[in-house]
């Protein structure tokens, strides 16, 4: 089992405020658009742990955690505003499965067209953003095919380049453990 960070932009984080209390992350979507990077390209597999994060005020903010149950191809998930001519049946099914109201679903989970759908289990959150301690942020590390990589733009426990976290990244074990501990607090 691997762990991945999943970056959510500020407008997606704002939409999390519309989620009813007690309803966790039940699904995520990926695809060809910058706002929805590909989970398949990142090599996410069932059983992997996802940590939705964002960056604000120089801090890395944890928004929740969930385990991937399934990954499927779903070419017909789209907001009506982007594709009013397309059938909304598949999208409506995913909205119902999420348990989230449509404004939260489209704002936080599926703001644009998607081609991948993940079902999630063992969800924690979404909860109020939890800032990662500066010492853990200084040691934060991603894994890639060539080894490990520290995100650019982290200086003295502060993020100076939030784009360094944008996307879906496999986490080094110590970074995954730091996020897991923060999620349990």
């Amino acid at each position: 089992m691997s762990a991945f960070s999943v970056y959510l932009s500020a407008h997606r984080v704002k939409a999390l405020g519309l989620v009813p209390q007690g309803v966790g992350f039940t699904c995520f979507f990926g695809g060809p658009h910058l706002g929805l990077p590909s989970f398949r390209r990142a090599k996410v597999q069932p059983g992997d742990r996802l940590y939705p994060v964002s960056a604000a005020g120089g801090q890395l903010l944890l928004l929740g955690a969930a385990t991937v149950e399934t990954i499927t191809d779903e070419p017909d998930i789209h907001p009506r505003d982007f594709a009013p001519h397309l059938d909304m049946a598949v999208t409506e099914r995913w909205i119902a499965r999420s348990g989230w109201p449509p404004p939260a679903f489209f704002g936080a989970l599926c703001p644009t067209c998607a081609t991948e759908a993940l079902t999630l289990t063992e969800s924690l959150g979404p909860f109020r953003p939890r800032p990662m301690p500066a010492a853990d942020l200084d040691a934060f590390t991603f894994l890639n095919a060539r080894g490990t990589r520290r995100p650019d733009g982290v200086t003295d426990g502060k993020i100076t380049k939030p784009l360094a976290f944008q996307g879906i990244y496999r986490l080094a074990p110590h970074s995954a453990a730091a996020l897991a501990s923060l999620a349990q607090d």
Side-chain angles (χ1 to χ4, degrees):
M1 177 179 97
S2 296
F4 292 82
S5 64
V6 179
Y7 186 83
L8 300 183
S9 61
H11 77 275
R12 292 176 76 184
V13 172
K14 184 177 179 182
L16 290 176
L18 302 172
V19 177
Q21 284 284 52
V23 178
F25 287 104
T26 58
C27 51
F28 259 125
F29 301 93
H33 304 287
L34 184 61
L36 293 173
S38 173
F39 286 91
R40 289 191 192 277
R41 183 176 290 166
K43 297 184 175 34
V44 173
Q45 299 291 321
D48 288 342
R49 193 78 169 150
L50 302 180
Y51 293 97
V53 298
S54 192
Q59 296 180 310
L60 185 66
L61 304 172
L62 179 64
L63 305 167
T67 300
V68 178
E69 186 175 39
T70 63
I71 303 174
T72 59
D73 293 324
E74 290 281 3
D76 295 326
I77 301 171
H78 54 272
R80 188 180 307 277
D81 296 347
F82 288 152
H85 61 287
L86 296 176
D87 182 11
M88 291 291 290
V90 173
T91 304
E92 297 292 338
R93 182 171 41 92
W94 278 101
I95 291 172
R97 187 189 189 307
S98 76
W100 292 21
F105 178 87
F106 289 124
L109 295 178
C110 192
T112 186
C113 301
T115 57
E116 303 165 348
L118 285 70
T119 58
L120 306 173
T121 63
E122 302 172 27
S123 175
L124 300 173
F127 38 69
R128 292 185 62 153
R130 297 177 181 177
M132 176 172 263
D136 290 336
L137 185 56
D138 275 334
F140 202 81
T141 309
F142 299 127
L143 296 178
N144 61 31
R146 291 182 244 151
T148 61
R149 178 181 73 81
R150 302 280 313 277
D152 294 334
V154 174
T155 306
D156 298 327
K158 295 276 186 196
I159 296 173
T160 58
K161 297 179 185 174
L163 288 179
F165 292 88
Q166 185 174 353
I168 302 166
Y169 293 106
R170 185 181 307 269
L171 299 171
H174 67 276
S175 296
L179 287 174
S181 174
L182 191 56
Q184 296 299 328
D185 287 348

